[in-house]
Amino acid sequence: MRRVGAALAHRHFLQQALAEAEVALSMGEVPVGAVVVQDGAVVARAHNLRQTLHDPTAHAEILALRAAARELEDWRLAEATIYVTLEPCLMCAAAIAEARLKQVVFAAYDPERGALGSRQHVLGEGLEARRTEVLGGLMEEEASALLKRFFLSRRDV
Amino acid sequence: MRRVGAALAHRHFLQQALAEAEVALSMGEVPVGAVVVQDGAVVARAHNLRQTLHDPTAHAEILALRAAARELEDWRLAEATIYVTLEPCLMCAAAIAEARLKQVVFAAYDPERGALGSRQHVLGEGLEARRTEVLGGLMEEEASALLKRFFLSRRDV
């Protein structure tokens, strides 16, 4: 029963991360979205804004972590889970480790740049060996469809 | 002659990064400072503000990169050099790769957390294999002395 509940919660929050990614897509940004959840409630949500903000670090995960820590007034987010539509890159995975998150749940794997299993593995037994649980590959189809729409639209330009 | 000029320039800008680290120390933050330089001029300067901002990503390097990109209105900093008083951690080294910097020059090595040679090696031939040049170990004594002052002051608390 508990497992079923967790799976439903994961889908629920990934759906919200996907809605954030849709916003990024509408702005011409690479469509990645993230939400940070603590005690069953969303404490921060963000989407990729790298072009818009002229900020090399403005990936969805970094913006969501920063907003969550500001909201909770603590840079340590040890009770929080981040939901993200794409496997985090090395910078974002290391930022998740820096913020001491309890768990990261992501949708699509990123074979080229993913740092939580695809290209490197930063958490768990990986480079950082921090105790952040990693769960990947949920709702992969929906997240990949968004990315495909983005790259197809770019090809038309 | 060119080499002597570069070495002097490195000392000059690292000195400014050390001044930033002094500000962090005066605020009770881990004393790390950074400046971003392009065409011989400082375009951004920052110091660690993780506690003050409640921001797990507010290391000196990240803040300096963000400020430089904002200033130059481009998230790509391909002509810029970042000077930092301590070897960057995995998050910061990956952020430097994300921002496509030309060069990173740092003072003290960080055997426990350094990701540019000590614990991992992210740039050059390392994980990211991006073309950012890395130069470490300049003015190491001055940078280490600052860190020692910080950790000694904490022991007294």
mmCIF file of all heavy atoms in Angstrom, chain B residues 14-59:
data_model
loop_
_atom_site.group_PDB
_atom_site.id
_atom_site.type_symbol
_atom_site.label_atom_id
_atom_site.label_comp_id
_atom_site.label_asym_id
_atom_site.label_seq_id
_atom_site.Cartn_x
_atom_site.Cartn_y
_atom_site.Cartn_z
ATOM 1 N N LEU B 14 44.320 37.290 -8.184
ATOM 2 C CA LEU B 14 44.121 36.420 -7.017
ATOM 3 C C LEU B 14 44.099 37.256 -5.738
ATOM 4 O O LEU B 14 43.387 36.940 -4.787
ATOM 5 C CB LEU B 14 45.217 35.353 -6.929
ATOM 6 C CG LEU B 14 44.971 34.084 -7.744
ATOM 7 C CD1 LEU B 14 46.160 33.140 -7.630
ATOM 8 C CD2 LEU B 14 43.680 33.357 -7.298
ATOM 9 N N GLN B 15 44.891 38.330 -5.735
ATOM 10 C CA GLN B 15 44.882 39.236 -4.587
ATOM 11 C C GLN B 15 43.480 39.827 -4.394
ATOM 12 O O GLN B 15 42.990 39.954 -3.266
ATOM 13 C CB GLN B 15 45.908 40.357 -4.831
ATOM 14 C CG GLN B 15 46.309 41.127 -3.595
ATOM 15 C CD GLN B 15 46.984 40.252 -2.556
ATOM 16 O OE1 GLN B 15 48.003 39.626 -2.829
ATOM 17 N NE2 GLN B 15 46.407 40.175 -1.362
ATOM 18 N N GLN B 16 42.833 40.135 -5.481
ATOM 19 C CA GLN B 16 41.473 40.680 -5.388
ATOM 20 C C GLN B 16 40.481 39.610 -4.923
ATOM 21 O O GLN B 16 39.547 39.891 -4.170
ATOM 22 C CB GLN B 16 41.048 41.263 -6.734
ATOM 23 C CG GLN B 16 41.980 42.397 -7.154
ATOM 24 C CD GLN B 16 41.350 43.309 -8.188
ATOM 25 O OE1 GLN B 16 40.153 43.526 -8.185
ATOM 26 N NE2 GLN B 16 42.170 43.849 -9.067
ATOM 27 N N ALA B 17 40.699 38.376 -5.364
ATOM 28 C CA ALA B 17 39.858 37.270 -4.880
ATOM 29 C C ALA B 17 40.072 37.072 -3.381
ATOM 30 O O ALA B 17 39.122 36.819 -2.625
ATOM 31 C CB ALA B 17 40.175 35.994 -5.656
ATOM 32 N N LEU B 18 41.332 37.231 -2.937
ATOM 33 C CA LEU B 18 41.628 37.107 -1.495
ATOM 34 C C LEU B 18 40.939 38.211 -0.693
ATOM 35 O O LEU B 18 40.461 37.973 0.422
ATOM 36 C CB LEU B 18 43.146 37.147 -1.263
ATOM 37 C CG LEU B 18 43.866 35.828 -1.572
ATOM 38 C CD1 LEU B 18 45.380 36.052 -1.721
ATOM 39 C CD2 LEU B 18 43.592 34.787 -0.477
ATOM 40 N N ALA B 19 40.865 39.409 -1.262
ATOM 41 C CA ALA B 19 40.162 40.495 -0.584
ATOM 42 C C ALA B 19 38.680 40.153 -0.426
ATOM 43 O O ALA B 19 38.069 40.439 0.618
ATOM 44 C CB ALA B 19 40.337 41.803 -1.363
ATOM 45 N N GLU B 20 38.109 39.504 -1.446
ATOM 46 C CA GLU B 20 36.714 39.042 -1.341
ATOM 47 C C GLU B 20 36.572 37.990 -0.235
ATOM 48 O O GLU B 20 35.608 37.998 0.521
ATOM 49 C CB GLU B 20 36.252 38.445 -2.676
ATOM 50 C CG GLU B 20 35.962 39.476 -3.749
ATOM 51 C CD GLU B 20 34.755 40.350 -3.409
ATOM 52 O OE1 GLU B 20 33.762 39.840 -2.865
ATOM 53 O OE2 GLU B 20 34.819 41.563 -3.683
ATOM 54 N N ALA B 21 37.546 37.084 -0.165
ATOM 55 C CA ALA B 21 37.514 36.049 0.871
ATOM 56 C C ALA B 21 37.563 36.672 2.265
ATOM 57 O O ALA B 21 36.906 36.200 3.200
ATOM 58 C CB ALA B 21 38.668 35.072 0.676
ATOM 59 N N GLU B 22 38.334 37.775 2.393
ATOM 60 C CA GLU B 22 38.407 38.497 3.684
ATOM 61 C C GLU B 22 37.026 39.014 4.089
ATOM 62 O O GLU B 22 36.663 39.004 5.261
ATOM 63 C CB GLU B 22 39.376 39.687 3.572
ATOM 64 C CG GLU B 22 40.839 39.332 3.514
ATOM 65 C CD GLU B 22 41.482 39.242 4.907
ATOM 66 O OE1 GLU B 22 40.767 39.332 5.925
ATOM 67 O OE2 GLU B 22 42.714 39.039 4.939
ATOM 68 N N VAL B 23 36.264 39.482 3.113
ATOM 69 C CA VAL B 23 34.905 39.965 3.417
ATOM 70 C C VAL B 23 34.050 38.808 3.941
ATOM 71 O O VAL B 23 33.341 38.954 4.945
ATOM 72 C CB VAL B 23 34.239 40.595 2.166
ATOM 73 C CG1 VAL B 23 32.838 41.089 2.496
ATOM 74 C CG2 VAL B 23 35.087 41.735 1.608
ATOM 75 N N ALA B 24 34.131 37.653 3.281
ATOM 76 C CA ALA B 24 33.384 36.475 3.745
ATOM 77 C C ALA B 24 33.771 36.144 5.187
ATOM 78 O O ALA B 24 32.897 35.903 6.033
ATOM 79 C CB ALA B 24 33.651 35.285 2.829
ATOM 80 N N LEU B 25 35.072 36.162 5.463
ATOM 81 C CA LEU B 25 35.554 35.853 6.815
ATOM 82 C C LEU B 25 34.947 36.803 7.842
ATOM 83 O O LEU B 25 34.506 36.383 8.919
ATOM 84 C CB LEU B 25 37.091 35.953 6.851
ATOM 85 C CG LEU B 25 37.767 35.588 8.173
ATOM 86 C CD1 LEU B 25 37.558 34.119 8.511
ATOM 87 C CD2 LEU B 25 39.266 35.894 8.130
ATOM 88 N N SER B 26 34.891 38.077 7.503
ATOM 89 C CA SER B 26 34.358 39.080 8.427
ATOM 90 C C SER B 26 32.867 38.860 8.695
ATOM 91 O O SER B 26 32.320 39.362 9.669
ATOM 92 C CB SER B 26 34.589 40.488 7.869
ATOM 93 O OG SER B 26 33.677 40.736 6.810
ATOM 94 N N MET B 27 32.208 38.093 7.825
ATOM 95 C CA MET B 27 30.777 37.808 7.991
ATOM 96 C C MET B 27 30.524 36.448 8.622
ATOM 97 O O MET B 27 29.372 36.027 8.754
ATOM 98 C CB MET B 27 30.096 37.834 6.614
ATOM 99 C CG MET B 27 30.161 39.174 5.917
ATOM 100 S SD MET B 27 29.534 39.037 4.215
ATOM 101 C CE MET B 27 27.761 38.885 4.552
ATOM 102 N N GLY B 28 31.593 35.732 8.953
ATOM 103 C CA GLY B 28 31.432 34.403 9.531
ATOM 104 C C GLY B 28 31.168 33.318 8.489
ATOM 105 O O GLY B 28 30.758 32.216 8.818
ATOM 106 N N GLU B 29 31.393 33.652 7.221
ATOM 107 C CA GLU B 29 31.230 32.655 6.152
ATOM 108 C C GLU B 29 32.583 31.992 5.877
ATOM 109 O O GLU B 29 33.631 32.621 6.092
ATOM 110 C CB GLU B 29 30.770 33.343 4.854
ATOM 111 C CG GLU B 29 29.409 34.006 4.920
ATOM 112 C CD GLU B 29 28.275 33.041 4.570
ATOM 113 O OE1 GLU B 29 28.535 31.843 4.342
ATOM 114 O OE2 GLU B 29 27.118 33.513 4.547
ATOM 115 N N VAL B 30 32.575 30.775 5.381
ATOM 116 C CA VAL B 30 33.827 30.137 4.957
ATOM 117 C C VAL B 30 34.504 31.081 3.955
ATOM 118 O O VAL B 30 33.893 31.500 2.977
ATOM 119 C CB VAL B 30 33.571 28.759 4.294
ATOM 120 C CG1 VAL B 30 34.889 28.137 3.836
ATOM 121 C CG2 VAL B 30 32.848 27.825 5.246
ATOM 122 N N PRO B 31 35.768 31.487 4.246
ATOM 123 C CA PRO B 31 36.402 32.544 3.450
ATOM 124 C C PRO B 31 36.917 32.066 2.094
ATOM 125 O O PRO B 31 38.056 31.618 1.969
ATOM 126 C CB PRO B 31 37.553 33.013 4.336
ATOM 127 C CG PRO B 31 37.879 31.835 5.186
ATOM 128 C CD PRO B 31 36.607 31.068 5.377
ATOM 129 N N VAL B 32 36.059 32.177 1.098
ATOM 130 C CA VAL B 32 36.442 31.905 -0.289
ATOM 131 C C VAL B 32 35.970 33.089 -1.121
ATOM 132 O O VAL B 32 34.854 33.574 -0.937
ATOM 133 C CB VAL B 32 35.817 30.596 -0.819
ATOM 134 C CG1 VAL B 32 36.284 30.316 -2.250
ATOM 135 C CG2 VAL B 32 36.161 29.420 0.086
ATOM 136 N N GLY B 33 36.846 33.547 -2.016
ATOM 137 C CA GLY B 33 36.498 34.675 -2.871
ATOM 138 C C GLY B 33 36.832 34.357 -4.316
ATOM 139 O O GLY B 33 37.669 33.496 -4.600
ATOM 140 N N ALA B 34 36.169 35.072 -5.230
ATOM 141 C CA ALA B 34 36.407 34.844 -6.668
ATOM 142 C C ALA B 34 36.215 36.135 -7.445
ATOM 143 O O ALA B 34 35.403 36.978 -7.066
ATOM 144 C CB ALA B 34 35.451 33.784 -7.196
ATOM 145 N N VAL B 35 36.997 36.288 -8.518
ATOM 146 C CA VAL B 35 36.738 37.367 -9.472
ATOM 147 C C VAL B 35 36.766 36.776 -10.879
ATOM 148 O O VAL B 35 37.496 35.823 -11.158
ATOM 149 C CB VAL B 35 37.751 38.547 -9.372
ATOM 150 C CG1 VAL B 35 37.722 39.198 -7.997
ATOM 151 C CG2 VAL B 35 39.151 38.121 -9.733
ATOM 152 N N VAL B 36 35.946 37.358 -11.752
ATOM 153 C CA VAL B 36 35.938 36.963 -13.166
ATOM 154 C C VAL B 36 36.532 38.107 -13.965
ATOM 155 O O VAL B 36 36.171 39.278 -13.770
ATOM 156 C CB VAL B 36 34.509 36.640 -13.655
ATOM 157 C CG1 VAL B 36 34.513 36.327 -15.157
ATOM 158 C CG2 VAL B 36 33.936 35.467 -12.876
ATOM 159 N N VAL B 37 37.486 37.754 -14.835
ATOM 160 C CA VAL B 37 38.267 38.750 -15.576
ATOM 161 C C VAL B 37 38.119 38.502 -17.070
ATOM 162 O O VAL B 37 38.182 37.352 -17.521
ATOM 163 C CB VAL B 37 39.755 38.650 -15.170
ATOM 164 C CG1 VAL B 37 40.635 39.523 -16.055
ATOM 165 C CG2 VAL B 37 39.917 39.030 -13.699
ATOM 166 N N GLN B 38 37.908 39.566 -17.811
ATOM 167 C CA GLN B 38 37.885 39.456 -19.271
ATOM 168 C C GLN B 38 38.618 40.659 -19.861
ATOM 169 O O GLN B 38 38.409 41.794 -19.402
ATOM 170 C CB GLN B 38 36.434 39.394 -19.754
ATOM 171 C CG GLN B 38 36.349 39.156 -21.254
ATOM 172 C CD GLN B 38 34.970 38.680 -21.699
ATOM 173 O OE1 GLN B 38 34.447 37.710 -21.172
ATOM 174 N NE2 GLN B 38 34.381 39.376 -22.657
ATOM 175 N N ASP B 39 39.439 40.414 -20.857
ATOM 176 C CA ASP B 39 40.236 41.483 -21.480
ATOM 177 C C ASP B 39 40.972 42.329 -20.439
ATOM 178 O O ASP B 39 40.988 43.567 -20.524
ATOM 179 C CB ASP B 39 39.338 42.395 -22.331
ATOM 180 C CG ASP B 39 38.669 41.621 -23.467
ATOM 181 O OD1 ASP B 39 39.288 40.676 -23.981
ATOM 182 O OD2 ASP B 39 37.528 41.965 -23.820
ATOM 183 N N GLY B 40 41.520 41.672 -19.435
ATOM 184 C CA GLY B 40 42.328 42.363 -18.442
ATOM 185 C C GLY B 40 41.552 43.163 -17.403
ATOM 186 O O GLY B 40 42.151 43.825 -16.559
ATOM 187 N N ALA B 41 40.217 43.096 -17.439
ATOM 188 C CA ALA B 41 39.422 43.861 -16.466
ATOM 189 C C ALA B 41 38.508 42.938 -15.672
ATOM 190 O O ALA B 41 37.996 41.941 -16.193
ATOM 191 C CB ALA B 41 38.584 44.907 -17.198
ATOM 192 N N VAL B 42 38.302 43.286 -14.393
ATOM 193 C CA VAL B 42 37.394 42.517 -13.547
ATOM 194 C C VAL B 42 35.952 42.830 -13.959
ATOM 195 O O VAL B 42 35.550 43.989 -13.972
ATOM 196 C CB VAL B 42 37.603 42.884 -12.058
ATOM 197 C CG1 VAL B 42 36.522 42.240 -11.194
ATOM 198 C CG2 VAL B 42 38.987 42.452 -11.596
ATOM 199 N N VAL B 43 35.184 41.786 -14.327
ATOM 200 C CA VAL B 43 33.777 42.025 -14.687
ATOM 201 C C VAL B 43 32.829 41.618 -13.564
ATOM 202 O O VAL B 43 31.664 42.018 -13.558
ATOM 203 C CB VAL B 43 33.357 41.311 -15.997
ATOM 204 C CG1 VAL B 43 34.014 41.978 -17.198
ATOM 205 C CG2 VAL B 43 33.681 39.833 -15.977
ATOM 206 N N ALA B 44 33.317 40.824 -12.606
ATOM 207 C CA ALA B 44 32.468 40.448 -11.465
ATOM 208 C C ALA B 44 33.350 39.968 -10.329
ATOM 209 O O ALA B 44 34.421 39.409 -10.557
ATOM 210 C CB ALA B 44 31.496 39.357 -11.871
ATOM 211 N N ARG B 45 32.861 40.209 -9.115
ATOM 212 C CA ARG B 45 33.591 39.732 -7.931
ATOM 213 C C ARG B 45 32.558 39.246 -6.918
ATOM 214 O O ARG B 45 31.448 39.792 -6.862
ATOM 215 C CB ARG B 45 34.470 40.837 -7.347
ATOM 216 C CG ARG B 45 33.756 42.099 -6.981
ATOM 217 C CD ARG B 45 34.723 43.186 -6.495
ATOM 218 N NE ARG B 45 35.405 43.846 -7.578
ATOM 219 C CZ ARG B 45 36.749 43.956 -7.677
ATOM 220 N NH1 ARG B 45 37.538 43.479 -6.741
ATOM 221 N NH2 ARG B 45 37.281 44.568 -8.714
ATOM 222 N N ALA B 46 32.919 38.248 -6.131
ATOM 223 C CA ALA B 46 31.952 37.692 -5.178
ATOM 224 C C ALA B 46 32.677 36.913 -4.099
ATOM 225 O O ALA B 46 33.836 36.522 -4.266
ATOM 226 C CB ALA B 46 30.971 36.779 -5.902
ATOM 227 N N HIS B 47 31.976 36.712 -2.985
ATOM 228 C CA HIS B 47 32.500 35.841 -1.931
ATOM 229 C C HIS B 47 31.400 34.899 -1.481
ATOM 230 O O HIS B 47 30.211 35.155 -1.706
ATOM 231 C CB HIS B 47 33.049 36.659 -0.760
ATOM 232 C CG HIS B 47 32.105 37.710 -0.285
ATOM 233 N ND1 HIS B 47 32.136 38.996 -0.777
ATOM 234 C CD2 HIS B 47 31.099 37.662 0.592
ATOM 235 C CE1 HIS B 47 31.190 39.711 -0.189
ATOM 236 N NE2 HIS B 47 30.535 38.918 0.647
ATOM 237 N N ASN B 48 31.809 33.838 -0.852
ATOM 238 C CA ASN B 48 30.869 32.836 -0.357
ATOM 239 C C ASN B 48 29.821 33.464 0.551
ATOM 240 O O ASN B 48 30.152 34.219 1.463
ATOM 241 C CB ASN B 48 31.673 31.775 0.408
ATOM 242 C CG ASN B 48 30.789 30.771 1.103
ATOM 243 O OD1 ASN B 48 29.766 30.351 0.563
ATOM 244 N ND2 ASN B 48 31.173 30.375 2.305
ATOM 245 N N LEU B 49 28.547 33.141 0.290
ATOM 246 C CA LEU B 49 27.437 33.697 1.087
ATOM 247 C C LEU B 49 26.393 32.624 1.402
ATOM 248 O O LEU B 49 25.206 32.917 1.508
ATOM 249 C CB LEU B 49 26.768 34.849 0.313
ATOM 250 C CG LEU B 49 27.508 36.186 0.273
ATOM 251 C CD1 LEU B 49 26.786 37.161 -0.672
ATOM 252 C CD2 LEU B 49 27.588 36.803 1.678
ATOM 253 N N ARG B 50 26.860 31.403 1.517
ATOM 254 C CA ARG B 50 25.919 30.291 1.678
ATOM 255 C C ARG B 50 24.995 30.447 2.887
ATOM 256 O O ARG B 50 23.790 30.232 2.792
ATOM 257 C CB ARG B 50 26.710 28.981 1.782
ATOM 258 C CG ARG B 50 25.807 27.768 1.803
ATOM 259 C CD ARG B 50 26.606 26.501 1.663
ATOM 260 N NE ARG B 50 27.492 26.297 2.791
ATOM 261 C CZ ARG B 50 28.134 25.149 3.047
ATOM 262 N NH1 ARG B 50 27.993 24.130 2.230
ATOM 263 N NH2 ARG B 50 28.923 25.020 4.084
ATOM 264 N N GLN B 51 25.589 30.797 4.027
ATOM 265 C CA GLN B 51 24.772 30.960 5.251
ATOM 266 C C GLN B 51 23.885 32.189 5.139
ATOM 267 O O GLN B 51 22.700 32.151 5.455
ATOM 268 C CB GLN B 51 25.677 31.146 6.478
ATOM 269 C CG GLN B 51 26.673 30.061 6.729
ATOM 270 C CD GLN B 51 26.068 28.860 7.452
ATOM 271 O OE1 GLN B 51 24.898 28.828 7.786
ATOM 272 N NE2 GLN B 51 26.895 27.849 7.652
ATOM 273 N N THR B 52 24.505 33.299 4.742
ATOM 274 C CA THR B 52 23.805 34.587 4.742
ATOM 275 C C THR B 52 22.584 34.555 3.827
ATOM 276 O O THR B 52 21.516 35.059 4.194
ATOM 277 C CB THR B 52 24.770 35.693 4.269
ATOM 278 O OG1 THR B 52 25.949 35.619 5.076
ATOM 279 C CG2 THR B 52 24.151 37.070 4.393
ATOM 280 N N LEU B 53 22.737 33.972 2.645
ATOM 281 C CA LEU B 53 21.641 33.952 1.666
ATOM 282 C C LEU B 53 20.730 32.728 1.822
ATOM 283 O O LEU B 53 19.747 32.617 1.101
ATOM 284 C CB LEU B 53 22.203 33.978 0.239
ATOM 285 C CG LEU B 53 22.984 35.210 -0.208
ATOM 286 C CD1 LEU B 53 23.433 35.041 -1.662
ATOM 287 C CD2 LEU B 53 22.143 36.486 -0.058
ATOM 288 N N HIS B 54 21.036 31.822 2.729
ATOM 289 C CA HIS B 54 20.326 30.535 2.776
ATOM 290 C C HIS B 54 20.271 29.942 1.378
ATOM 291 O O HIS B 54 19.202 29.650 0.846
ATOM 292 C CB HIS B 54 18.889 30.700 3.288
ATOM 293 C CG HIS B 54 18.791 31.257 4.664
ATOM 294 N ND1 HIS B 54 19.438 30.718 5.744
ATOM 295 C CD2 HIS B 54 18.102 32.321 5.137
ATOM 296 C CE1 HIS B 54 19.159 31.407 6.825
ATOM 297 N NE2 HIS B 54 18.358 32.397 6.485
ATOM 298 N N ASP B 55 21.429 29.780 0.777
ATOM 299 C CA ASP B 55 21.480 29.303 -0.613
ATOM 300 C C ASP B 55 22.609 28.283 -0.745
ATOM 301 O O ASP B 55 23.787 28.633 -0.659
ATOM 302 C CB ASP B 55 21.711 30.502 -1.550
ATOM 303 C CG ASP B 55 21.753 30.096 -3.021
ATOM 304 O OD1 ASP B 55 21.831 28.896 -3.328
ATOM 305 O OD2 ASP B 55 21.719 31.013 -3.864
ATOM 306 N N PRO B 56 22.238 27.005 -0.950
ATOM 307 C CA PRO B 56 23.267 25.952 -1.033
ATOM 308 C C PRO B 56 24.220 26.139 -2.212
ATOM 309 O O PRO B 56 25.290 25.551 -2.229
ATOM 310 C CB PRO B 56 22.447 24.670 -1.203
ATOM 311 C CG PRO B 56 21.142 25.115 -1.787
ATOM 312 C CD PRO B 56 20.888 26.479 -1.193
ATOM 313 N N THR B 57 23.836 26.954 -3.182
ATOM 314 C CA THR B 57 24.682 27.163 -4.358
ATOM 315 C C THR B 57 25.488 28.460 -4.287
ATOM 316 O O THR B 57 26.217 28.780 -5.233
ATOM 317 C CB THR B 57 23.843 27.202 -5.665
ATOM 318 O OG1 THR B 57 23.137 28.445 -5.743
ATOM 319 C CG2 THR B 57 22.856 26.046 -5.738
ATOM 320 N N ALA B 58 25.377 29.203 -3.170
ATOM 321 C CA ALA B 58 25.998 30.533 -3.114
ATOM 322 C C ALA B 58 27.487 30.478 -2.749
ATOM 323 O O ALA B 58 27.967 31.233 -1.896
ATOM 324 C CB ALA B 58 25.225 31.447 -2.170
ATOM 325 N N HIS B 59 28.227 29.574 -3.388
ATOM 326 C CA HIS B 59 29.686 29.577 -3.292
ATOM 327 C C HIS B 59 30.195 30.779 -4.096
ATOM 328 O O HIS B 59 29.522 31.252 -5.023
ATOM 329 C CB HIS B 59 30.257 28.282 -3.873
ATOM 330 C CG HIS B 59 29.936 27.054 -3.056
ATOM 331 N ND1 HIS B 59 30.581 25.849 -3.242
ATOM 332 C CD2 HIS B 59 29.044 26.843 -2.063
ATOM 333 C CE1 HIS B 59 30.108 24.953 -2.398
ATOM 334 N NE2 HIS B 59 29.165 25.537 -1.662
#
